[in-house]
Amino acid sequence: MKTIIEHIGEVVSKAFEECGYDASYAKITISNRPDLCEYQCNGAMAAAKAYKKAPFMIADEVVEKLSGSSMFEKIESVKPGFININISAGYLADFVNSMSEKEKFGYEPEVTNKTVIVDYGGANAAKPLHVGHLRSAVIGESVKRIQKYAGNNVIGDVHLGDWGLQMGLIIEELRDRKPELPYFDENYTGEYPAEPPFTISELEEIYPTASAKSKDDEAFLARAHEATLKLQSGDKACTAIWHHIMNVSKADLKKNYDNLNVHFDLWKGESDAQPYIPDMIQSMIDSGLAYESQGATVVDIQEDTDTKELPPCIIRKSDGAALYATSDLATLVEREKMYHPDSYIYLADKRQELHFTQVFRVAKKAGIVKPDADMTFLGFGTMNGNDGKPFKTRSGGVMRLENLIADIQDAVYGKITENRTMDQAEARDTARIVGLAALKYGDLSNQASKDYVFDVERFTSFEGNTGPYILYTIVRIKSILAKYAAEGGKTDNLKLLPPVSASEKNLELALVKYLDVMEAAYMDKAPHKICQYIYEISNVFNGFYHDTKILAEQDKERKESYISLISLTKDILLSCIDLLGIECPERM
């Protein structure tokens, strides 16, 4: 479905052509002066140079050609050459009615059905999720949902950190704690136990203890390196412990991601890429792409168009060990073999930009992906405390994500029980939903690349640009519709009448932006644009609500028109928050 701007543009383009000017000058935009008009065309200003004519004369001609069109309530030429446009109430109502009848409200991206891999999450096995994992999870989940909504086949991969020294450290710490386990008996020949030798709580305590010990105990560190090498060489005992680590970790990680309403299609990790590494490196060496430098194997990535020097990508250290870049490249080998994706989207801290520049360029140079492969790195900023520094606990430590979620839900619970009558069970469930909305909206409403301050009081407010405010608006609409239904009002096959008040028209003008907003959010991979939109919708709806006696309206057709309008408003808001990974309670 064409956007309303495209429809206006077609009509104005024809007028430009009929007046003897190129149609390309008839670009229509939303007015940057809504006090003067709703849409505008500034093409006469540019056309003036090409046609050596005063811009107001060109604008006057075009406006004269368009006078009398039923599409416009007002179209006027304003010196020095602007064309100001107000859409007619009847045309606007017809367009909104058309949106309400179509799937996805008429949103139809031009290019769809691509296979897209979204790499987000990035959790580490044997470690709890902490606040540093929040942004990747919630931005990645939203980007994935937007891609799916646009009609693509999207594969979300958590890409776990599950390989390397951390595993050796855990194995050796477990040996020190429980030397009697069969994994540490060199003469043991039976089957290893099916049950893990630790709980998730014990596992999460084992790793930091082992990590701290390795900094002071060189012998222990050496043992950990040896255990890591044995694991990576396929040692049966180390592999059995590793499987226990992964099973226990994944179960806990899935639970925590589920609590965030974040879900992955694949639970792959760095370990899955390991079998591809030897052949991949050898192929780069054989082709002359990779070479030895100070004992390491590297690939140059510098290009003539670069404005600054970029270091070579190390794909194998001097001791033969692989690096993150090696693992990421091998993961691409696996993904190309298994999924044949058309596009890749990676979510990570923006400070990893160089790493992904290196990986993408090596992948293309080595022929792992096509030279023109669509590979995007979405780097996000830092979540900071009120002091402007990365968010910490009061004691200065890194906060567990589940504790952060609990804190914000408690804050919402306090506000719900303070002002509303609701039983405890419902209040807790509502606080869970609204608290998660506060957390996710507080993050997603910021442009991903920007740092932002995490402020519990502001994020949980029921006023202003917050998740609770958006949800409260939806719940308000649900309440009106429920009362209307209880009074016997029909809700099927309702049609909008042309708006009669400024606030009614403003709401319809906001709704018709949906198609443009969805396309921008999809093309730019930008959830914050959806947040901006639903905040605008919420504001103009509440303006309409305060100006209009919806249920008290005596004219039956007008009342049904109001119900149709707010029903569509609710549906669009619900569609948008779903793309953000946010749910809505029945009441607040």
Side-chain angles (χ1 to χ4, degrees), residues 439-464:
L439 181 66
K440 298 178 87 168
Y441 188 89
D443 189 302
L444 292 170
S445 58
N446 298 278
Q447 188 173 341
S449 61
K450 304 291 187 184
D451 298 346
Y452 75 93
V453 173
F454 180 83
D455 185 332
V456 172
E457 188 60 32
R458 180 168 66 85
F459 285 3
T460 58
S461 174
F462 282 59
E463 298 177 352

Side-chain angles (χ1 to χ4, degrees), residues 249-295:
S249 286
K250 282 184 180 180
D252 186 65
L253 288 170
K254 284 180 179 178
K255 180 192 73 175
N256 280 284
Y257 278 123
D258 283 348
N259 288 340
L260 265 180
N261 199 15
V262 169
H263 310 286
F264 300 94
D265 304 288
L266 299 177
W267 282 79
K268 294 274 190 176
E270 293 169 347
S271 59
D272 293 286
Q274 302 310 302
Y276 300 94
I277 289 176
D279 288 347
M280 180 189 74
I281 293 178
Q282 191 59 50
S283 175
M284 291 188 204
I285 293 172
D286 292 345
S287 68
L289 181 65
Y291 64 93
E292 187 175 314
S293 175
Q294 298 179 350

Side-chain angles (χ1 to χ4, degrees), residues 61 70 192 233 438 530 539 542:
E61 289 179 58
S70 61
Y192 290 115
S233 302
I530 295 177
N539 280 337
N542 283 308

Side-chain angles (χ1 to χ4, degrees), residues 88-97 494-501 504-505 508 544 553 555-565:
S88 74
Y91 185 87
L92 179 61
D94 287 344
F95 190 91
V96 177
N97 277 321
L494 299 183
K495 293 289 184 182
L496 265 75
L497 300 175
V500 292
S501 69
E504 185 180 6
K505 190 178 187 184
E508 293 186 21
F544 169 69
E553 174 60 50
D555 184 308
K556 182 174 180 291
E557 286 191 350
R558 178 58 58 185
K559 186 175 184 177
E560 289 178 349
S561 176
Y562 290 158
I563 294 299
S564 177
L565 177 58

Side-chain angles (χ1 to χ4, degrees), residues 324-343:
Y324 285 123
T326 324
S327 175
D328 281 344
L329 286 164
T331 298
L332 284 169
V333 173
E334 181 188 47
R335 287 171 174 168
E336 287 289 318
K337 180 180 179 180
M338 298 182 68
Y339 309 110
H340 311 292
D342 301 293
S343 179

Side-chain angles (χ1 to χ4, degrees), residues 139 142-143 146 378 444 447-448 517 520-531 580:
I139 299 170
S142 183
V143 167
I146 292 167
L378 288 183
L444 292 170
Q447 188 173 341
V517 170
Y522 169 56
M523 296 301 295
D524 298 340
K525 304 171 182 66
H528 75 278
K529 294 189 174 183
I530 295 177
C531 293
L580 301 175

Side-chain angles (χ1 to χ4, degrees), residues 4-5 8 30-31 34 37-39 71 73 85-89 91-93 95-96 99 496 499 501-517 533 536-537 540-541 565 568-569 572:
I4 198 165
I5 287 178
I8 298 170
I30 295 172
S31 173
C37 59
E38 295 159 358
Y39 300 94
M71 176 180 276
E73 176 184 284
I85 299 168
N86 281 1
I87 205 79
S88 74
Y91 185 87
L92 179 61
F95 190 91
V96 177
M99 281 180 64
L496 265 75
S501 69
S503 61
E504 185 180 6
K505 190 178 187 184
N506 286 340
L507 180 53
E508 293 186 21
L509 286 169
L511 293 178
V512 299
K513 293 179 185 178
Y514 180 82
L515 305 177
D516 293 297
V517 170
Y533 177 64
E536 177 187 353
I537 291 285
V540 292
F541 165 76
L565 177 58
L568 179 60
T569 302
I572 283 179

Side-chain angles (χ1 to χ4, degrees), residues 21-204:
Y21 308 113
D22 194 278
S24 63
Y25 293 109
K27 183 180 179 182
I28 305 299
T29 61
I30 295 172
S31 173
N32 57 17
R33 286 290 305 276
D35 56 318
L36 298 179
C37 59
E38 295 159 358
Y39 300 94
Q40 63 189 67
C41 174
N42 300 338
M45 307 292 286
K49 295 180 181 179
Y51 293 94
K52 297 180 173 55
K53 202 169 187 179
F56 76 87
M57 296 177 67
I58 296 174
D60 285 348
E61 289 179 58
V62 172
V63 167
E64 177 63 27
K65 184 69 68 174
L66 291 169
S67 62
S69 170
S70 61
M71 176 180 276
F72 307 118
E73 176 184 284
K74 179 183 75 174
I75 182 165
E76 59 182 1
S77 170
V78 178
K79 288 186 177 180
F82 302 117
I83 299 174
N84 291 351
I85 299 168
N86 281 1
I87 205 79
S88 74
Y91 185 87
L92 179 61
D94 287 344
F95 190 91
V96 177
N97 277 321
S98 179
M99 281 180 64
S100 67
E101 294 167 356
K102 294 184 181 297
E103 185 180 1
K104 298 180 183 177
F105 315 106
Y107 174 53
E108 298 169 340
E110 290 184 14
V111 181
T112 59
N113 204 31
K114 297 189 299 182
T115 296
V116 181
I117 288 183
V118 183
D119 185 314
Y120 68 111
N124 291 306
K127 301 179 187 177
L129 292 178
H130 57 75
V131 293
H133 294 112
L134 176 67
R135 302 214 71 191
S136 178
V138 300
I139 299 170
E141 179 71 16
S142 183
V143 167
K144 181 188 74 176
R145 290 176 182 229
I146 292 167
Q147 290 285 322
K148 282 187 176 181
Y149 191 69
N152 290 329
N153 170 37
V154 189
I155 303 167
D157 187 0
V158 68
H159 199 64
L160 294 171
D162 66 349
W163 206 244
L165 181 59
Q166 72 195 69
M167 296 302 169
L169 290 168
I170 293 169
I171 290 168
E172 290 308 302
E173 177 63 20
L174 186 64
R175 181 194 300 274
D176 288 351
R177 294 183 180 208
K178 301 181 179 181
E180 73 282 359
L181 290 173
Y183 313 98
F184 308 121
D185 182 353
E186 294 181 1
N187 298 317
Y188 186 79
T189 57
E191 290 295 319
Y192 290 115
E195 291 300 312
F198 40 66
T199 64
I200 184 62
S201 297
E202 290 171 328
L203 181 58
E204 290 177 354

